[in-house]
Amino acid sequence: MDELNIKKQLKIEMDAAYKAFKKNPSAINYVKLERAMLKYQMYDKNRDHYAAGG
């Protein structure tokens, strides 16, 4: 997957987690949302790491 698609996929995951949390604000959904947001934010910082294959 190229860079743009990874970023887009992380954004989709974040949006889905947010919708699930809004619909059912439970602790599990909150943790999922928080993890999705962190992955999205950390992607830019770790871009070289991702580009190197993990």
Side-chain angles (χ1 to χ4, degrees):
M1 251 199 299
D2 66 346
E3 229 175 82
L4 191 65
N5 285 343
I6 294 172
K7 187 97 171 162
K8 218 178 273 184
Q9 183 61 38
L10 290 173
K11 175 94 172 96
I12 290 167
E13 285 175 27
M14 190 171 64
D15 290 344
Y18 179 72
K19 285 178 186 150
F21 178 70
K22 288 292 278 188
K23 197 159 69 172
N24 177 16
S26 64
I28 289 173
N29 283 345
Y30 178 75
V31 169
K32 285 181 183 174
L33 173 60
E34 201 169 54
R35 289 187 65 192
M37 290 189 329
L38 275 172
K39 276 167 64 178
Y40 186 74
Q41 290 167 355
M42 292 305 286
Y43 175 72
D44 280 333
K45 293 178 186 159
N46 295 334
R47 190 175 310 160
D48 300 334
H49 179 69
Y50 279 92

